[in-house]
Amino acid sequence: MALGGGRAYGLNGLGHKLYAAVVQASWLIPYEEAFFWLVPSAFTVLMLYFFLSSWLIEYGFMYLLFHKSDDKALICKNVFKANVVSYIFLYVFVLIYWLAAGFLN
């Protein structure tokens, strides 16, 4: 909201479309004629934000549990891999659901 995410700028041109999909992803303006591409785009952007947040939080927690371990890079890599697998599953599941529901048609 601090970056103007709650204000409607329209979808005139690529810059406004990118702004709507990236900055306004968490609070979409009701551009109903563009929902067919705007909702999946916002979903993708939010999945990236959530992935990074989840990875950093889980790595921090695992670091606290295993801080005496000599291989902190291994912990970071394994937490990253686990998050990649789970977020790919979530992403594919939602896309299949949208296709089955006819949302992306």
Side-chain angles (χ1 to χ4, degrees):
M1 289 298 183
L3 298 173
R7 187 170 156 219
Y9 294 100
L11 297 174
N12 306 329
L14 182 61
H16 285 130
K17 289 178 181 178
L18 284 172
Y19 185 84
V22 175
V23 176
Q24 297 177 330
S26 60
W27 194 270
L28 287 176
I29 305 299
Y31 300 120
E32 294 179 13
E33 71 281 356
F35 273 177
F36 72 95
W37 68 266
L38 192 55
V39 171
S41 299
F43 173 72
T44 302
V45 168
L46 288 174
M47 287 291 280
L48 293 172
Y49 293 153
F50 295 151
F51 170 82
L52 291 174
S53 299
S54 177
W55 175 39
L56 292 174
I57 291 168
E58 290 173 21
Y59 171 69
F61 183 74
M62 295 303 285
Y63 180 80
L64 288 175
L65 287 177
F66 302 107
H67 66 276
K68 296 184 187 210
S69 171
D70 290 333
D71 203 355
K72 292 170 185 60
L74 181 64
I75 294 171
C76 184
K77 184 172 76 172
N78 287 335
V79 170
F80 181 82
K81 285 180 183 179
N83 274 284
V84 165
V85 169
S86 63
Y87 274 80
I88 287 173
F89 172 76
L90 288 169
Y91 195 79
V92 169
F93 177 79
V94 169
L95 290 179
I96 290 170
Y97 175 78
W98 281 344
L99 286 170
F103 184 76
L104 298 179
N105 294 336

